Amino acid sequence: MTKPKGINAARKLKKPKSIKKDIGYNQASGIVVDRCSFYGGPHHYGRLRGVRVQLLRDLSYVTAFVPGDGGINYIADLDKVTMIRKNKIVKGIRGVFWIVVTVRDVSLVS
């Protein structure tokens, strides 16, 4: 089979764009690997709590923010958590785009 030729051939030769699986996903679940704390950006005094999570879908590691006063106390290592992704950084913390929503199928956010 030969390649198409002519004025309208560009449309047929163009390959479909590959869609990355991670784009468009705004919810994920994973296993807690470690609990950590970090300083927030301006206007956020004190230590903010977070967790390192290994995602179930592709086994990569992400850092997620834990909301609420004392929310970190409900989370232990190797717990299953569900997170949502924000399109901007959370609380001025660089590199943190995820927020923990549920721990062991119990909601943290009311």
Side-chain angles (χ1 to χ4, degrees):
M1 188 170 169
T2 62
K3 293 183 180 179
K5 298 174 179 145
I7 295 173
N8 296 324
R11 177 175 44 192
K12 297 171 188 170
L13 291 173
K14 194 161 104 174
K15 294 180 181 176
K17 294 180 182 178
S18 61
I19 300 172
K20 196 173 181 183
K21 290 185 178 180
D22 291 342
I23 296 175
Y25 282 66
N26 59 354
Q27 191 172 16
S29 62
I31 303 295
V32 175
V33 177
D34 187 26
R35 300 192 302 178
C36 56
S37 62
F38 25 72
Y39 290 108
H43 310 296
H44 295 287
Y45 302 107
R47 306 281 287 179
L48 298 173
R49 302 297 178 164
V51 289
R52 292 282 298 162
V53 177
Q54 184 178 14
L55 298 181
L56 294 177
R57 68 171 182 243
D58 57 359
L59 303 179
S60 62
Y61 292 92
V62 296
T63 305
F65 173 72
V66 179
D69 188 19
I72 195 78
N73 297 332
Y74 296 109
I75 300 175
D77 289 347
L78 304 178
D79 279 346
K80 184 178 178 184
V81 295
T82 305
M83 305 169 295
I84 58 171
R85 181 178 167 88
K86 298 290 185 179
N87 290 332
K88 57 183 182 177
I89 59 175
V90 179
K91 301 274 185 181
I93 310 162
R94 293 180 188 157
V96 177
F97 296 95
W98 297 89
I99 298 176
V100 175
V101 179
T102 63
V103 179
R104 287 176 264 136
D105 297 328
V106 178
S107 177
L108 280 180
V109 182
S110 57

